Amino acid sequence: MTVVIVGGGIGGLTAALSLHAVGVPVRVLEATAQLRPLGVGINLLPHATAHLTELGLGKALADTAIATSEVVHLDRFGNEIWRDPRGRAAGHNHPQYSVHRGDLQQILLDAVRERIGPGTPSLGMRVLDTRNDTHRAVCRVHNRRTDTIEEISGTAVIGADGIASAIRRTLYPHEGEPLWGGVRMWRGTAAARPFRTGSSMVIAGSNHAAKFVMYPVRPRAGEDGKSLINWVAEVRTDRPGAAPEWNRTGRLADVAPHFTGWHPAGVDICGLVAATQHILEYPMVDRDPLPRWSFGRITLLGDAAHPMYPVGSNGGSQAILDARALAESFAATPNTGEPASIDVPSVLADYQSRRLDSANAVATANRDIPMDRVLRLVAERAPHGFDAITDVLTAAEIEALGGSYRHTSRG
Ligand SMILES: Cc1cc2nc3c(=O)[nH]c(=O)nc-3n(C[C@H](O)[C@H](O)[C@H](O)COP(=O)(O)OP(=O)(O)OC[C@H]3O[C@@H](n4cnc5c(N)ncnc54)[C@H](O)[C@@H]3O)c2cc1C
């Protein structure tokens, strides 16, 4: 009855915990030989923190993450264009969290090892491809420890192996590389003094030219009063085409010139970037929405199913919603305890019907980057700043900003 989950990232580990919670045995295969706290900041929206709380992780998250209280758009001079309360401040039952991806993965990993077993996930197991067999789904796996190819089968295979998914490639062999729209992204974390509420996400500029996003990811301010600030710099180039290399080391000299003189929320952007020990560079990529994720006993979850631009803080949250829906689909099916009694292809079809349309809708809304049209207007109409945003935008244009957020941050 074991379900094989390919990938021990945010989606795969949450799926493991969710399936375990409804009595479904799992095995997680992770390609890396050692799970290290990689990445920088990630956001969890209230619909995702609700599920992590159901899984008993609410306290660990509250102790580790920042409960985001507002998102605010500023122009490059720091003038406020639009703000929206977030999480509990917006009336949700659960917080929105800003958290270091490594901290989040560690919380999930600790819970997986405690509940499922210390050997989960199986590390150094790179899945090459998968196929449906009569009563099983089978993965071909490169075991990096023994340098051998093994076959590992389960009653189902869940491809939670991220944007470069081998499982997706098996199902859609002609799809090719992720799609790049021309925005280069640099990311990093640096210690800096808290700004605004101390739990604010600040977005300055727009993807039309250059945009800077920053938010704190660890609550404990150091003795010097500083906390760990995550930042993302996004710059549009006019030469799309092949995406730059993924996850390479970024250079200060590439980022800083785009943000000279920017001081949103009183933060010296060039100083923040210069204080960053390790700058990462990623292209902003996604893939076209798929018409189908589930094929017999094989399905996709998280970025493998619906990679999206990081526009509405929703990529990790959508993976967590997938995990919950998958477990609900297993829990809803008649089960006599005999493995053969479960119609797994129907379970995976049910999971797909719960999630595919809404996840694809979020990915499509993110691609449009709708708030950018309005932010571009601000830059054009008030190139030297403004006193009141109502002097620059009409009420309808301000309302459009809120509407675009509702599309990209929905559950
Ligand atoms: C190293 C890394 C750093 C990231 N940093 C950030 C960040 O700073 N901020 C942010 O918002 N998002 C980040 N992301 C993306 C973010 O985690 C996802 O968008 C989101 O959480 C959805 O998670 P996922 O589990 O679907 O995919 P991912 O988090 O990408 O996890 C996929 C997992 O599958 C494993 N894997 C891949 N191929 C195979 C294979 N063939 N066989 C077995 N295992 C495989 C990967 O090693 C990884 O552990 C990062 C992802 C990774 C992998």
Side-chain angles (χ1 to χ4, degrees):
M1 175 60 200
T2 300
V3 167
V4 172
I5 297 171
V6 181
I10 307 306
L13 294 177
T14 309
L17 291 169
S18 306
L19 289 174
H20 177 77
V22 297
V24 176
V26 295
R27 175 156 187 205
V28 184
L29 305 176
E30 166 57 43
T32 53
Q34 192 190 358
L35 280 179
R36 289 180 296 121
L38 294 177
V40 284
I42 191 166
N43 259 260
L44 297 175
L45 300 180
H47 47 254
T49 56
H51 181 53
L52 295 181
T53 303
E54 284 160 14
L55 289 172
L57 304 177
K59 180 170 183 330
L61 273 173
D63 288 348
T64 311
I66 295 274
T68 311
S69 59
E70 64 168 5
V71 58
V72 57
H73 269 288
L74 307 176
D75 73 359
R76 51 182 296 192
F77 308 103
N79 299 309
E80 184 172 317
I81 297 170
W82 179 81
R83 76 173 282 281
D84 203 30
R86 307 305 278 174
R88 288 196 197 278
H92 292 284
N93 290 331
H94 293 273
Q96 172 172 336
Y97 281 124
S98 299
V99 62
H100 194 291
R101 182 182 177 274
D103 292 345
L104 174 61
Q105 195 176 29
Q106 193 62 50
I107 289 171
L108 295 168
L109 192 59
D110 288 347
V112 161
R113 288 185 170 151
E114 188 187 308
R115 297 174 196 182
I116 302 174
T120 305
S122 304
L123 297 176
M125 304 293 273
R126 175 170 290 282
V127 174
L128 304 174
D129 52 35
T130 187
R131 65 177 190 275
N132 277 297
D133 227 336
T134 319
H135 296 298
R136 319 282 292 162
V138 185
C139 290
R140 257 181 355 112
V141 185
H142 176 217
N143 182 331
R144 295 171 60 186
R145 241 178 329 108
T146 56
D147 196 19
T148 53
I149 305 293
E150 299 175 12
E151 288 205 336
I152 295 177
S153 66
T155 191
V157 165
I158 314 301
D161 48 344
I163 190 161
S165 167
I167 305 302
R168 180 168 174 142
R169 196 166 54 243
T170 308
L171 301 175
Y172 292 92
H174 305 297
E175 188 183 30
E177 295 301 308
L179 305 171
W180 185 48
V183 175
R184 292 174 77 183
M185 288 197 302
W186 294 268
R187 294 179 167 195
T189 54
R193 295 209 174 274
F195 45 85
R196 288 184 68 101
T197 61
S199 56
S200 303
M201 175 187 284
V202 164
I203 303 176
S206 84
N207 282 114
H208 173 63
K211 174 171 145 188
F212 199 87
V213 182
M214 59 186 177
Y215 50 87
V217 286
R218 286 200 184 124
R220 289 174 297 277
E223 281 175 10
D224 53 2
K226 294 180 176 176
S227 48
L228 192 69
I229 307 295
N230 171 81
W231 60 264
V232 188
E234 301 175 5
V235 173
R236 180 171 292 285
T237 72
D238 51 7
R239 296 188 307 278
E245 198 184 317
W246 182 260
N247 210 6
R248 66 181 174 187
T249 299
R251 296 183 314 166
L252 177 63
D254 286 339
V255 197
H258 298 284
F259 300 96
T260 305
W262 287 40
H263 283 87
V267 177
D268 168 16
I269 298 304
C270 289
L272 185 68
V273 173
T276 302
Q277 266 190 346
H278 187 49
I279 299 175
L280 297 165
E281 182 177 355
Y282 305 76
M284 190 193 278
V285 290
D286 68 358
R287 293 180 180 277
D288 285 332
L290 293 178
R292 186 175 170 190
W293 301 338
S294 297
F295 293 79
R297 293 171 178 271
I298 302 168
T299 195
L300 300 171
L301 180 148
D303 277 6
H306 45 70
M308 55 184 69
Y309 285 171
V311 168
S313 309
N314 212 344
S317 300
Q318 290 292 315
I320 290 166
L321 293 190
D322 292 348
R324 182 177 68 186
L326 182 67
E328 285 171 352
S329 296
F330 269 97
T333 191
N335 176 4
T336 63
E338 291 297 315
S341 71
I342 298 183
D343 179 0
V344 173
S346 297
V347 171
L348 300 189
D350 180 64
Y351 154 68
Q352 174 184 291
S353 71
R354 289 171 191 247
R355 290 292 302 143
L356 183 128
D357 286 347
S358 58
N360 280 351
V362 174
T364 305
N366 284 8
R367 189 177 267 189
D368 189 33
I369 318 187
M371 65 278 282
D372 260 26
R373 281 189 287 278
V374 183
L375 296 172
R376 184 177 172 180
L377 285 180
V378 177
E380 284 172 1
R381 292 178 190 167
H384 306 295
F386 55 85
D387 292 327
I389 190 59
T390 44
D391 297 340
V392 184
L393 295 179
T394 65
E397 287 164 345
I398 294 171
E399 171 57 26
L401 275 169
S404 65
Y405 262 99
R406 283 188 280 283
H407 278 296
T408 54
S409 61
R410 65 189 167 187

